[in-house]
Amino acid sequence: MSTAFRPPNLALTTVGLSLATFMQVLDTTIANVSLPTIAGNLGVSSNQSTWVITSFAVSMAISLPLTGFLTRRFGEVKLFIWSTLLFALTSFLCGISQSMGMLILFRAIQGAVAGPMYPITQSLLISIYPPAKRGMALALLAMVTVVAPIAGPILGGLITDNYSWPWIFFINVPIGIFASMVVGAQMKGREEKTERPKIDYVGLITLIIGVGALQVVLDKGNDEDWFNSQFIVITSIISAIALAVFLIWELTDKDPIVNLKLFRHRNFSAGTLALVLAYAAFFSIGLMVPLWLQRNLGYTSTWAGFATAPLGVIPVLLTFVVGKYANRIDLRLLASAAFAVMGMTCFMRSDFYLQIDFYHVALVQLLQGLGVALFFMPVLSILLSDLQQNEIAAGSGLATFLRTLGGSFAASLTTFMWERRAVTHHAQLAEQITPYNPTAQAALQQIGHGDTTTAAASINQMITQQGYQISFNEVFHVLGWIFLGLIVVIWLAKPPFGAKPGPAAGGH
């Protein structure tokens, strides 16, 4: 593969690649706030409507680690163009769906074609930029990764409220067509070596079953009460067996469908571990804060979106500064600073209370943005730094897959912990309020003006809210320590973090 290729218009190519990634990342969150409307329009329960999210997540999780194999088979440019066009087509089909079954099917196909888009964009951006400017390209991609999930719920809410839910999918069609046409035209002269690797059927089948079942367990665990559900137990056993076979097979097969031997690179291993754990903690924050605002503070989904949106301000402002000057500093120092800032904002949230105002919530989000601005680009640069050029697409796909899986684990675990600890705190706070406690009974008489039943219901609601609040604070205290612990992990990587010289320029 020629690493010296430069497209006729670098800026236009960058816009095309970034737009496609923005569209794909946006789609992971844009449907979340529209689920009640979709469920109502298609005549299903809100529980069934969550499969709109699950089907997309499962398919994407399966196709992400296959990026390296697909790149070898079809070439990076062709894979990007077809993935983007098929994403636009499946978005249109999602929009015209007349039943929940149709919508879930098309969302599953959409997730499958979405998988390779982010890793391929990363690989193509690295290949078209000169080594000195690759930090800039990765910083731009990092900004897209941060801003798109924030914009998703706000945009989804505005479109659903003012137009109709199919438009959350229809807006992808012109963007997808434009991005694929621009990249196709600009990258036309790029030399690509393709091969016909034999299909590792055992690896492919065990990957589909193992990852698919695991993603379903993580998405549905809280709804089904985890291992009290026979469905979750059976699905977990299937996932564990399939993934065990997959790991053993891929590590011993001569031509595996997922190249796990990439972990022989020290920086790839350390960088991927830091990325997965940091993204899992970051994802937990992105999930819990809007939920807390709506459940405990009574915000609407739109206002919860506005309160969390300041997170994207500093990454947008600092992207090009970080990209331009980051390589003059040890990237491990930048990542450490990012983890310190994000840990500090978690500790700040661990002091939140029920009467806190919008300004303070938004201010902490804004401050966290500084950590996010310094996080993605250095960590991505470190994990890709010791890969060969022909390993970048596979490495990026594998790291993104593990990052996505980390996010799913975090979502399930933090929601579970929040709920479980809230129940414990409710029990502790309420244990003195009994018919045999004269002080409690006198207080109930006074609050309810003689009506103890109404007063008890009111007190119970207050205790429930306080239980959730204490639990919320505890979770953020733990997240703060996780971020500080990651500072140790990132120092396991060793310089240099620059591009490899010669024809195998691995990039940042």
Side-chain angles (χ1 to χ4, degrees), residues 388 498-506:
Q388 302 296 329
K500 285 186 188 296

Side-chain angles (χ1 to χ4, degrees), residues 221 277 324 486 498:
L277 293 175
K324 193 170 183 180
L486 285 170

Side-chain angles (χ1 to χ4, degrees), residues 2 7 11 29 44 63-64 78 112 170 172 202 230 247 290 345 389 414 451 489 494:
S2 171
T29 59
V44 296
S63 65
L64 263 169
K78 198 177 283 185
F170 289 153
N172 292 335
V202 175
Q230 193 178 0
L247 286 171
T345 57
Q389 177 66 39
T414 46
D451 183 357
V489 175
K494 286 277 178 272

Side-chain angles (χ1 to χ4, degrees), residues 19-35 38 49-61 63-64 87 91 94 107-108 110-119 144-156 168-169 171-172 215 219 279 282-283 286-287 376 400-401 403-405 407-408 411:
L19 263 179
T21 302
F22 184 83
M23 168 184 75
Q24 183 255 310
V25 179
L26 184 81
D27 244 59
T28 57
T29 59
I30 196 168
N32 295 17
V33 293
S34 310
L35 287 185
I38 293 171
S49 71
T50 57
W51 282 101
V52 172
I53 308 297
T54 304
S55 57
F56 182 87
V58 168
S59 293
M60 195 166 89
S63 65
L64 263 169
F87 191 90
S91 295
C94 286
R107 275 287 278 178
Q110 188 188 37
V113 298
M117 287 171 68
Y118 180 87
V144 169
T145 312
V146 173
V147 173
I150 299 166
I154 298 172
L155 202 59
I168 65 174
F169 298 114
I171 57 167
N172 292 335
Q215 192 71 40
D219 273 25
Y279 184 79
F282 171 65
F283 194 85
L287 178 80
F376 276 101
T400 309
F401 158 68
R403 188 195 80 184
T404 307
L405 213 54
S408 296

Side-chain angles (χ1 to χ4, degrees), residues 69-382:
F69 171 81
L70 293 169
T71 304
R72 287 163 62 199
R73 178 68 183 82
F74 301 107
E76 290 180 346
V77 176
K78 198 177 283 185
L79 182 59
F80 174 87
I81 292 167
W82 278 108
S83 293
T84 309
L85 282 174
L86 287 169
F87 191 90
L89 173 64
T90 49
S91 295
F92 176 75
L93 293 171
C94 286
I96 61 167
S97 296
Q98 297 298 307
S99 70
M100 185 52 74
M102 276 177 75
L103 180 57
I104 289 169
L105 172 67
F106 294 135
R107 275 287 278 178
I109 301 169
Q110 188 188 37
V113 298
M117 287 171 68
Y118 180 87
I120 290 296
T121 300
Q122 202 169 59
S123 184
L124 287 174
L125 276 174
I126 285 168
S127 76
I128 62 174
Y129 273 82
K133 292 188 175 176
R134 283 180 184 154
M136 187 84 78
L138 282 176
L140 177 72
L141 200 59
M143 182 189 75
V144 169
T145 312
V146 173
V147 173
I150 299 166
I154 298 172
L155 202 59
L158 290 171
I159 290 170
T160 306
D161 293 343
N162 297 303
Y163 300 99
S164 60
W165 68 263
W167 282 97
I168 65 174
F169 298 114
F170 289 153
I171 57 167
N172 292 335
V173 178
I175 297 171
I177 293 169
F178 172 78
S180 53
M181 284 175 68
V182 164
V183 174
Q186 291 292 317
M187 305 289 278
K188 198 164 53 179
R190 189 176 190 258
E191 180 195 329
E192 296 212 296
K193 287 179 186 168
T194 56
E195 49 187 283
R196 285 183 172 270
K198 71 172 182 67
I199 297 175
D200 168 18
Y201 287 106
V202 175
L204 181 62
I205 292 163
T206 51
L207 174 77
I208 291 170
I209 295 170
V211 172
L214 177 60
Q215 192 71 40
V216 169
V217 167
L218 295 174
D219 273 25
K220 291 289 171 188
N222 278 318
D223 297 340
E224 302 282 341
D225 196 22
W226 290 100
F227 297 107
N228 292 322
S229 157
Q230 193 178 0
F231 168 71
I232 293 293
V233 171
I234 293 167
T235 314
S236 300
I237 292 168
I238 292 168
S239 173
I241 294 168
L243 287 175
V245 174
F246 169 76
L247 286 171
I248 295 163
W249 185 269
E250 293 302 280
L251 288 168
T252 52
D253 193 53
K254 281 183 182 173
D255 198 4
I257 201 157
V258 178
N259 186 7
L260 297 176
K261 293 185 179 72
L262 291 171
F263 286 107
R264 72 185 184 278
H265 299 293
R266 177 176 183 151
N267 287 357
F268 181 73
S269 297
T272 301
L273 181 61
L275 177 73
V276 171
L277 293 175
Y279 184 79
F282 171 65
F283 194 85
S284 299
I285 299 168
L287 178 80
M288 280 191 68
V289 173
L291 263 177
W292 167 75
L293 287 169
Q294 291 174 75
R295 179 191 282 173
N296 282 33
L297 271 60
Y299 282 46
T300 62
S301 56
T302 307
W303 275 103
F306 286 136
T308 52
L311 175 69
V313 174
I314 295 177
V316 170
L317 296 176
L318 281 189
T319 291
F320 293 107
V321 179
V322 172
K324 193 170 183 180
Y325 299 108
N327 290 326
R328 300 181 187 182
I329 308 164
D330 188 327
L331 292 177
R332 294 172 299 182
L333 280 173
L334 269 186
S336 299
F339 296 146
V341 170
M342 288 164 89
M344 184 178 71
T345 57
C346 286
F347 289 131
M348 289 167 82
R349 287 192 192 92
S350 72
D351 288 331
F352 275 7
Y353 51 95
L354 290 170
Q355 285 74 38
I356 199 160
D357 57 18
F358 178 93
Y359 169 76
H360 280 91
V361 176
L363 195 64
V364 174
Q365 289 291 113
L366 182 71
L367 184 59
Q368 189 193 327
L370 176 63
V372 173
L374 301 175
F375 155 50
F376 276 101
M377 180 263 164
V379 175
L380 288 175
S381 297
I382 287 169

